[in-house]
Amino acid sequence: MKRGSLGCALLALGLLGASQVAGAATKTAACTWSATALGAGTAVSAGVTATDGRGSFAGWALPTGQSGDTARAAAWTNGTYTDLGTAGTNGAAVTAENRSGAVAGTALRTIFGTGIVIEKAFKSSGGTLVPLPFPTSSQLPAGYTRSAAVGITDAGDVIGVVRKQDGSGLTAVRWPADRPATVTLLAGAPSSGIGPVAVDTDGSILLDSSEIWRDGTLTRLGTLPGLEYAWPDAIRNGHVAGYGVYNGKNVGVYWDQQHAAHILPKSSYNLSNTHPGFSVSAGGLITGRLDEANGGNDLAGTGYGLWDRGTFVAKFGDLKADLPVVAGDNGTVGGYRYDAATRHSTAYVWRCS
């Protein structure tokens, strides 16, 4: 069993003023990137899927290459690897990490031959993974057996969804940090499609309906003539990155802090594989797929680039092997490097200097 990308992450901004964030984005755009492999003990594959925005990372590690092996949640602090476990018997996928280093994610397993899916949201507490509760029968009808975590705020609230075994009844929820044994429904947050897709550090929730939900208020992201099927991927400090179809071409899309849409030049995407989508930092640094005219490979889903908000900056690393997943606000990007010969992945961090 080989692992692909598992998701996106959160960013800390509280210690930076607006001018400092803008300066950080400009510095990152102009720098030289150096790659460092992150060890994962004896695991044969590993990858970064989340960051605290300040140099710590979280993700997954696969102990062996055997089919059906269980992935384990992983963390890297100052380059040191920690095995976070599996949140029970299921493979654990870290979705997000907040500024304090707390992670949230989903333990997922399908029981072969039965069609039964075991899906359980978790968060970290005291260095261990803690399963999160389901709504009570007074909150939702019986039959809700699956939950998934989408993001975690700086306050420690986990945002996610619950659903029935067959995937129906999708409902957006919050697991509040100050009431760890409870879950609340997010009234007014649409849950069509896959519902919430990412969470900003202040608790703003990015929805697959191209809207941002905040304290019961919905704000729609802007559009452009010729832009169709726009889907947001990531949100950070009000910056949003995603993808869509623009005049018949697959492209990346950036929505600024005023929610206006911009097409990312030289960008593309491919949803037929599990490779990373688009990520964005507090200053608006974006990672995502390049189009084929600029070194991307749409069939393989490889070839990544960097954008400073709506402006193309540079190609990223090894176009055939490097897969950036999350952009931090401190001049780092986390992800993994795939080895086609061994079919294994190595967790990597790229630093801007």
Side-chain angles (χ1 to χ4, degrees):
M1 172 181 172
K2 313 302 173 186
R3 300 288 294 187
S5 170
L6 300 172
C8 332
L10 297 181
L11 171 69
L13 179 65
L15 300 180
L16 294 178
S19 62
Q20 290 173 292
V21 171
T26 302
K27 177 183 181 298
T28 302
C31 69
T32 299
W33 291 88
S34 59
T36 302
L38 296 175
T42 59
V44 300
S45 281
V48 168
T49 58
T51 179
D52 67 352
R54 301 189 296 181
S56 292
F57 300 91
W60 57 270
L62 197 64
T64 75
Q66 296 179 357
S67 177
D69 198 3
T70 300
R72 304 179 68 83
W76 292 269
T77 303
N78 297 323
T80 300
Y81 166 69
T82 300
D83 181 346
L84 296 178
T86 62
T89 61
N90 308 321
V94 173
T95 304
E97 182 177 11
N98 69 11
R99 182 167 54 185
S100 299
V103 303
T106 306
L108 180 66
R109 182 180 64 177
T110 300
I111 300 178
F112 180 75
T114 68
I116 296 175
V117 177
I118 299 174
E119 186 181 35
K120 187 74 170 178
F122 65 79
K123 67 179 293 185
S124 62
S125 178
T128 61
L129 302 183
V130 178
L132 296 170
F134 284 97
T136 65
S137 58
S138 64
Q139 293 174 294
L140 287 173
Y144 281 79
T145 62
R146 298 169 59 181
S147 63
V150 172
I152 182 169
T153 69
D154 275 351
D157 295 343
V158 177
I159 308 299
V161 297
V162 294
R163 69 193 102 195
K164 296 180 180 179
Q165 177 58 220
D166 63 2
S168 65
L170 188 75
T171 302
V173 297
R174 174 190 285 117
W175 289 277
D178 59 352
R179 288 171 287 153
T182 65
V183 56
T184 61
L185 309 186
L186 296 179
S191 295
S192 62
I194 60 174
V197 294
V199 182
D200 214 339
T201 52
D202 66 354
S204 297
I205 301 170
L206 184 64
L207 303 169
D208 67 338
S209 56
S210 292
E211 295 170 299
I212 298 174
W213 185 93
R214 174 69 175 164
D215 294 333
T217 300
L218 284 171
T219 303
R220 177 162 287 279
L221 297 173
T223 188
L224 292 168
L227 177 61
E228 301 178 285
Y229 314 116
W231 293 84
D233 247 356
I235 184 170
R236 200 73 68 94
N237 186 32
H239 300 282
V240 176
Y243 54 91
V245 178
Y246 181 64
N247 293 332
K249 180 181 182 293
N250 291 352
V251 296
V253 183
Y254 163 64
W255 288 271
D256 61 33
Q257 291 169 309
Q258 289 72 47
H259 313 305
H262 308 267
I263 303 304
L264 295 177
K266 305 181 181 180
S267 63
S268 185
Y269 70 88
N270 181 1
L271 300 179
S272 66
N273 54 55
T274 58
H275 289 178
F278 290 83
S279 73
V280 63
S281 76
L285 181 73
I286 297 167
T287 64
R289 281 279 326 288
L290 291 166
D291 63 16
E292 294 199 331
N294 290 280
N297 185 320
D298 283 338
L299 181 61
T302 56
Y304 281 74
L306 296 166
W307 291 261
D308 184 353
R309 287 152 285 188
T311 302
F312 178 72
V313 174
K315 298 176 183 179
F316 187 88
D318 185 324
L319 294 182
K320 292 184 178 180
D322 287 352
L323 299 165
V325 180
V326 287
D329 66 337
N330 65 337
T332 60
V333 172
Y336 57 101
R337 180 173 288 176
Y338 181 71
D339 187 328
T342 63
R343 301 178 63 191
H344 291 151
S345 300
T346 302
Y348 261 83
V349 56
W350 293 265
R351 289 181 172 83
C352 171
S353 59

